[in-house]
Amino acid sequence: SNEIGNGKLTSPKVNANITALVFRNCRIEHSGNYGFRVGDGCRGVRIERCATFDTGAGGVWLGADSLYPDLAHRSRRVIREMYPESCASNVISDCTFRQGGRFQPEGTAIFVTHASDNVVTHNLIDDFYYSGITVGYTWGYAGRVSQRNEISFNRISRIGQEELFDLAGIYTLATSYGTVISNNVITEVGGNGIYMDEGSEGILIENNLATHIREAGGFMHYGTDCTFRNNIFAINHKFGLAWASKKEAMRVPSSINFLCNVFYTEETPLIGERTLGVRGVRAHNVWWNPKGAGPKDFDGHSAEWYLENGRSIGDVVAD
């Protein structure tokens, strides 16, 4: 029903419930690269109740080969246009991805690059050397098409395993307006639980559990207009929460909101250094260390200092 004009496909319903191709109850094992590759122009592809095992790289690579449109059209804006190479409105659900990265350890279980309006839900991910799910593939605040993706109800475990580092259970990059990361369980990760890397923007992270993480339960390199809400970050080994904001990125002031989260840690600072100077709202979070909050548990400061110096609204340090 779409017509091609001036090199662009126009669609009034980006999120149309279309089905063009279905993979159901398939099993791919002992492959040298990814199990599935969903690339340029693919829309309405559904991968359901499938499994990959012992793959050279990852489970599914979903997204166009390159960023589009051209550089002149890239800006920090909501992108709804469909182009001939657009990869959008695909579903990965109820699948199992195990034992990946055996030839290419940087392989990701589910790798969403230049793709929009996709749903990744109810998948089991276990035993990979890099990240469990990656969303976005452009560094910094470049306008991008990886928007309005849903990452929900996935179970992610045994990621990294001291083979690779600077990774996460769920990893994001760049402007991603409308993307929602919700109701995921992340455990045993050799990096960060949820890692919002350079320029992550416009993302809602809610109702997730990240526990037994080597680095921080939640980490943002730099980004803006992102919200963590109703998450639990528990028993993580380096920080409960960490944030590092690059000076060169300050042309777009970093901001992040933390609302109604629970941070629980027994050995490490509840908030890592360099986090409190970044903009955003911190409200009604619970912080707790059963051994007692230390004098430097909150960005090098005490809990009393954190609560009394306008750094939050309604936060409590309590069991």
Side-chain angles (χ1 to χ4, degrees):
S1 61
N2 293 311
E3 294 183 356
I4 298 177
N6 298 321
K8 181 173 73 173
L9 281 169
T10 58
S11 174
K13 296 179 67 176
V14 173
N15 287 303
N17 186 21
I18 58 173
T19 300
L21 175 66
V22 178
F23 294 92
R24 184 176 292 130
N25 297 325
C26 301
R27 180 176 176 91
I28 297 175
E29 56 187 19
H30 315 310
S31 71
N33 204 300
Y34 277 81
F36 296 88
R37 176 71 177 99
V38 183
D40 286 17
C42 289
R43 271 162 276 184
V45 175
R46 303 182 69 92
I47 301 174
E48 302 173 340
R49 301 198 298 272
C50 294
T52 67
F53 173 76
D54 186 28
T55 53
V60 179
W61 180 351
L62 172 64
D65 282 334
S66 61
L67 184 61
Y68 55 87
D70 58 44
L71 184 61
H73 291 88
R74 287 186 229 157
S75 62
R76 294 172 57 231
R77 66 184 180 89
V78 175
I79 296 175
R80 296 189 183 278
E81 299 92 339
M82 290 287 105
Y83 295 82
E85 60 269 70
S86 292
C87 180
S89 301
N90 304 294
V91 176
I92 304 170
S93 69
D94 301 283
C95 296
T96 299
F97 303 102
R98 291 186 186 274
Q99 202 176 96
R102 269 40 191 180
F103 293 156
Q104 302 175 67
E106 71 277 11
T108 302
I110 301 176
F111 191 25
V112 181
T113 54
H114 309 301
S116 67
D117 301 282
N118 303 287
V119 176
V120 177
T121 187
H122 289 93
N123 299 289
L124 174 64
I125 294 169
D126 178 69
D127 190 3
F128 283 79
Y129 297 138
Y130 188 53
S131 296
I133 300 174
T134 289
V135 185
Y137 202 54
T138 303
W139 298 100
Y141 289 113
R144 55 165 304 101
V145 296
S146 182
Q147 299 185 6
R148 300 174 301 279
N149 291 302
E150 175 189 330
I151 312 297
S152 65
F153 295 99
N154 300 286
R155 177 82 183 225
I156 302 167
S157 62
R158 291 201 297 166
I159 303 297
Q161 305 179 66
E162 299 188 2
E163 180 75 17
L164 294 177
F165 297 90
D166 196 30
L167 52 86
I170 298 176
Y171 174 94
T172 71
L173 266 179
T175 299
S176 302
Y177 295 128
T179 290
V180 176
I181 298 170
S182 68
N183 296 288
N184 301 284
V185 175
I186 305 166
T187 185
E188 297 180 69
V189 175
N192 298 289
I194 298 175
Y195 182 178
M196 312 187 77
D197 208 353
E198 298 191 15
S200 291
E201 180 175 16
I203 303 172
L204 173 63
I205 304 99
E206 67 176 352
N207 301 333
N208 301 284
L209 169 64
T211 181
H212 294 89
I213 308 299
R214 181 189 179 109
E215 300 288 329
F219 176 76
M220 175 177 274
H221 189 173
Y222 67 82
T224 191
D225 193 27
C226 294
T227 297
F228 282 79
R229 184 171 67 198
N230 295 338
N231 301 283
I232 298 175
F233 300 101
I235 319 175
N236 301 314
H237 299 299
K238 191 170 183 180
F239 303 108
L241 164 68
W243 195 342
S245 181
K246 276 188 173 182
K247 290 183 179 179
E248 59 264 33
M250 294 310 287
R251 61 182 181 83
V252 180
S254 288
S255 67
I256 192 167
N257 303 310
F258 290 97
L259 310 172
C260 307
N261 301 285
V262 174
F263 297 89
Y264 174 98
T265 182
E266 298 179 350
E267 303 291 342
T268 60
L270 285 158
I271 304 180
E273 296 185 7
R274 298 181 295 173
T275 62
L276 297 183
V278 183
R279 300 179 183 183
V281 176
R282 297 166 182 83
H284 304 292
N285 301 288
V286 177
W287 307 87
W288 182 244
N289 182 339
K291 298 181 180 180
K296 295 185 178 182
D297 260 6
F298 291 82
D299 196 4
H301 300 279
S302 67
E304 291 76 14
W305 180 92
Y306 173 76
L307 296 174
E308 293 174 5
N309 284 272
R311 302 292 174 175
S312 67
I313 302 169
D315 277 20
V316 295
V317 177
D319 185 352

mmCIF file of all heavy atoms in Angstrom, residues 56-78:
data_model
loop_
_atom_site.group_PDB
_atom_site.id
_atom_site.type_symbol
_atom_site.label_atom_id
_atom_site.label_comp_id
_atom_site.label_asym_id
_atom_site.label_seq_id
_atom_site.Cartn_x
_atom_site.Cartn_y
_atom_site.Cartn_z
ATOM 1 N N GLY A 56 28.902 -18.848 16.527
ATOM 2 C CA GLY A 56 30.188 -18.171 16.474
ATOM 3 C C GLY A 56 30.119 -16.752 16.979
ATOM 4 O O GLY A 56 31.067 -16.243 17.589
ATOM 5 N N ALA A 57 28.977 -16.074 16.750
ATOM 6 C CA ALA A 57 28.795 -14.705 17.220
ATOM 7 C C ALA A 57 27.572 -14.659 18.138
ATOM 8 O O ALA A 57 27.635 -15.101 19.270
ATOM 9 C CB ALA A 57 28.668 -13.740 16.041
ATOM 10 N N GLY A 58 26.440 -14.145 17.630
ATOM 11 C CA GLY A 58 25.266 -13.991 18.486
ATOM 12 C C GLY A 58 24.069 -14.777 18.015
ATOM 13 O O GLY A 58 24.170 -15.665 17.165
ATOM 14 N N GLY A 59 22.891 -14.399 18.572
ATOM 15 C CA GLY A 59 21.657 -15.083 18.212
ATOM 16 C C GLY A 59 20.951 -14.428 17.050
ATOM 17 O O GLY A 59 20.749 -15.048 16.001
ATOM 18 N N VAL A 60 20.567 -13.146 17.211
ATOM 19 C CA VAL A 60 19.876 -12.395 16.150
ATOM 20 C C VAL A 60 20.544 -11.040 15.982
ATOM 21 O O VAL A 60 20.766 -10.313 16.960
ATOM 22 C CB VAL A 60 18.384 -12.171 16.488
ATOM 23 C CG1 VAL A 60 17.707 -11.375 15.369
ATOM 24 C CG2 VAL A 60 17.669 -13.481 16.705
ATOM 25 N N TRP A 61 20.849 -10.689 14.747
ATOM 26 C CA TRP A 61 21.283 -9.338 14.408
ATOM 27 C C TRP A 61 20.134 -8.709 13.637
ATOM 28 O O TRP A 61 19.782 -9.162 12.546
ATOM 29 C CB TRP A 61 22.559 -9.366 13.578
ATOM 30 C CG TRP A 61 23.073 -8.002 13.172
ATOM 31 C CD1 TRP A 61 22.460 -6.786 13.314
ATOM 32 C CD2 TRP A 61 24.339 -7.729 12.556
ATOM 33 N NE1 TRP A 61 23.240 -5.777 12.831
ATOM 34 C CE2 TRP A 61 24.404 -6.325 12.363
ATOM 35 C CE3 TRP A 61 25.412 -8.520 12.153
ATOM 36 C CZ2 TRP A 61 25.514 -5.712 11.771
ATOM 37 C CZ3 TRP A 61 26.502 -7.915 11.569
ATOM 38 C CH2 TRP A 61 26.553 -6.517 11.385
ATOM 39 N N LEU A 62 19.526 -7.669 14.221
ATOM 40 C CA LEU A 62 18.350 -7.025 13.656
ATOM 41 C C LEU A 62 18.678 -5.576 13.340
ATOM 42 O O LEU A 62 18.980 -4.789 14.235
ATOM 43 C CB LEU A 62 17.202 -7.090 14.669
ATOM 44 C CG LEU A 62 15.915 -6.326 14.368
ATOM 45 C CD1 LEU A 62 15.234 -6.888 13.133
ATOM 46 C CD2 LEU A 62 14.979 -6.388 15.566
ATOM 47 N N GLY A 63 18.647 -5.196 12.048
ATOM 48 C CA GLY A 63 18.894 -3.810 11.687
ATOM 49 C C GLY A 63 19.552 -3.660 10.343
ATOM 50 O O GLY A 63 20.210 -4.580 9.835
ATOM 51 N N ALA A 64 19.368 -2.478 9.744
ATOM 52 C CA ALA A 64 19.970 -2.182 8.446
ATOM 53 C C ALA A 64 21.487 -2.123 8.568
ATOM 54 O O ALA A 64 22.047 -1.938 9.652
ATOM 55 C CB ALA A 64 19.426 -0.861 7.909
ATOM 56 N N ASP A 65 22.169 -2.253 7.431
ATOM 57 C CA ASP A 65 23.631 -2.276 7.429
ATOM 58 C C ASP A 65 24.249 -0.931 7.751
ATOM 59 O O ASP A 65 25.362 -0.857 8.253
ATOM 60 C CB ASP A 65 24.151 -2.746 6.064
ATOM 61 C CG ASP A 65 24.053 -4.259 5.919
ATOM 62 O OD1 ASP A 65 24.069 -4.950 6.952
ATOM 63 O OD2 ASP A 65 23.957 -4.742 4.782
ATOM 64 N N SER A 66 23.549 0.162 7.429
ATOM 65 C CA SER A 66 24.148 1.486 7.634
ATOM 66 C C SER A 66 23.084 2.454 8.134
ATOM 67 O O SER A 66 21.885 2.211 8.015
ATOM 68 C CB SER A 66 24.767 2.003 6.342
ATOM 69 O OG SER A 66 23.787 2.128 5.334
ATOM 70 N N LEU A 67 23.571 3.565 8.697
ATOM 71 C CA LEU A 67 22.670 4.581 9.210
ATOM 72 C C LEU A 67 22.091 5.379 8.051
ATOM 73 O O LEU A 67 22.803 5.774 7.127
ATOM 74 C CB LEU A 67 23.432 5.520 10.148
ATOM 75 C CG LEU A 67 22.620 6.598 10.850
ATOM 76 C CD1 LEU A 67 21.561 5.982 11.733
ATOM 77 C CD2 LEU A 67 23.550 7.485 11.670
ATOM 78 N N TYR A 68 20.811 5.609 8.089
ATOM 79 C CA TYR A 68 20.138 6.363 7.050
ATOM 80 C C TYR A 68 19.150 7.295 7.728
ATOM 81 O O TYR A 68 18.787 7.074 8.890
ATOM 82 C CB TYR A 68 19.415 5.415 6.071
ATOM 83 C CG TYR A 68 18.468 4.481 6.795
ATOM 84 C CD1 TYR A 68 17.146 4.848 7.071
ATOM 85 C CD2 TYR A 68 18.906 3.249 7.270
ATOM 86 C CE1 TYR A 68 16.302 4.017 7.775
ATOM 87 C CE2 TYR A 68 18.061 2.409 7.976
ATOM 88 C CZ TYR A 68 16.765 2.812 8.217
ATOM 89 O OH TYR A 68 15.936 1.995 8.935
ATOM 90 N N PRO A 69 18.676 8.363 7.157
ATOM 91 C CA PRO A 69 19.076 8.883 5.852
ATOM 92 C C PRO A 69 20.493 9.433 5.887
ATOM 93 O O PRO A 69 21.233 9.127 6.823
ATOM 94 C CB PRO A 69 18.051 9.994 5.610
ATOM 95 C CG PRO A 69 17.680 10.443 6.979
ATOM 96 C CD PRO A 69 17.697 9.220 7.832
ATOM 97 N N ASP A 70 20.856 10.272 4.918
ATOM 98 C CA ASP A 70 22.229 10.745 4.853
ATOM 99 C C ASP A 70 22.517 11.717 5.996
ATOM 100 O O ASP A 70 21.638 12.137 6.745
ATOM 101 C CB ASP A 70 22.529 11.396 3.500
ATOM 102 C CG ASP A 70 21.591 12.561 3.193
ATOM 103 O OD1 ASP A 70 21.341 13.378 4.104
ATOM 104 O OD2 ASP A 70 21.111 12.651 2.066
ATOM 105 N N LEU A 71 23.785 12.088 6.106
ATOM 106 C CA LEU A 71 24.236 12.887 7.242
ATOM 107 C C LEU A 71 23.462 14.187 7.393
ATOM 108 O O LEU A 71 23.200 14.640 8.512
ATOM 109 C CB LEU A 71 25.737 13.184 7.090
ATOM 110 C CG LEU A 71 26.408 13.928 8.242
ATOM 111 C CD1 LEU A 71 26.313 13.109 9.514
ATOM 112 C CD2 LEU A 71 27.860 14.216 7.897
ATOM 113 N N ALA A 72 23.040 14.782 6.282
ATOM 114 C CA ALA A 72 22.334 16.067 6.332
ATOM 115 C C ALA A 72 21.004 15.972 7.058
ATOM 116 O O ALA A 72 20.484 16.964 7.564
ATOM 117 C CB ALA A 72 22.124 16.606 4.917
ATOM 118 N N HIS A 73 20.426 14.771 7.123
ATOM 119 C CA HIS A 73 19.124 14.596 7.751
ATOM 120 C C HIS A 73 19.220 14.139 9.201
ATOM 121 O O HIS A 73 18.213 13.997 9.868
ATOM 122 C CB HIS A 73 18.292 13.571 6.957
ATOM 123 C CG HIS A 73 17.874 14.050 5.621
ATOM 124 N ND1 HIS A 73 18.657 13.888 4.518
ATOM 125 C CD2 HIS A 73 16.765 14.720 5.203
ATOM 126 C CE1 HIS A 73 18.041 14.413 3.462
ATOM 127 N NE2 HIS A 73 16.897 14.917 3.850
ATOM 128 N N ARG A 74 20.425 13.880 9.678
ATOM 129 C CA ARG A 74 20.564 13.363 11.026
ATOM 130 C C ARG A 74 20.586 14.488 12.040
ATOM 131 O O ARG A 74 21.398 15.405 11.958
ATOM 132 C CB ARG A 74 21.840 12.533 11.146
ATOM 133 C CG ARG A 74 21.742 11.202 10.446
ATOM 134 C CD ARG A 74 22.968 10.367 10.718
ATOM 135 N NE ARG A 74 23.489 9.849 9.456
ATOM 136 C CZ ARG A 74 24.743 9.473 9.289
ATOM 137 N NH1 ARG A 74 25.594 9.579 10.270
ATOM 138 N NH2 ARG A 74 25.148 9.005 8.139
ATOM 139 N N SER A 75 19.699 14.443 12.961
ATOM 140 C CA SER A 75 19.665 15.413 14.039
ATOM 141 C C SER A 75 18.959 14.775 15.217
ATOM 142 O O SER A 75 18.408 13.683 15.113
ATOM 143 C CB SER A 75 18.930 16.689 13.603
ATOM 144 O OG SER A 75 17.584 16.388 13.284
ATOM 145 N N ARG A 76 18.968 15.448 16.341
ATOM 146 C CA ARG A 76 18.297 14.914 17.522
ATOM 147 C C ARG A 76 16.797 15.188 17.376
ATOM 148 O O ARG A 76 16.269 16.142 17.922
ATOM 149 C CB ARG A 76 18.858 15.566 18.777
ATOM 150 C CG ARG A 76 20.308 15.212 19.055
ATOM 151 C CD ARG A 76 20.880 16.037 20.191
ATOM 152 N NE ARG A 76 20.089 15.869 21.400
ATOM 153 C CZ ARG A 76 19.619 16.872 22.125
ATOM 154 N NH1 ARG A 76 19.824 18.123 21.749
ATOM 155 N NH2 ARG A 76 18.917 16.633 23.223
ATOM 156 N N ARG A 77 16.130 14.323 16.646
ATOM 157 C CA ARG A 77 14.706 14.518 16.399
ATOM 158 C C ARG A 77 14.020 13.166 16.353
ATOM 159 O O ARG A 77 14.655 12.125 16.195
ATOM 160 C CB ARG A 77 14.486 15.256 15.078
ATOM 161 C CG ARG A 77 14.918 14.476 13.844
ATOM 162 C CD ARG A 77 14.778 15.286 12.558
ATOM 163 N NE ARG A 77 15.195 14.538 11.388
ATOM 164 C CZ ARG A 77 14.418 13.753 10.664
ATOM 165 N NH1 ARG A 77 13.139 13.599 10.999
ATOM 166 N NH2 ARG A 77 14.867 13.127 9.616
ATOM 167 N N VAL A 78 12.723 13.193 16.504
ATOM 168 C CA VAL A 78 11.934 11.978 16.328
ATOM 169 C C VAL A 78 11.917 11.639 14.840
ATOM 170 O O VAL A 78 11.615 12.492 14.000
ATOM 171 C CB VAL A 78 10.499 12.178 16.854
ATOM 172 C CG1 VAL A 78 9.649 10.952 16.549
ATOM 173 C CG2 VAL A 78 10.520 12.448 18.352
#
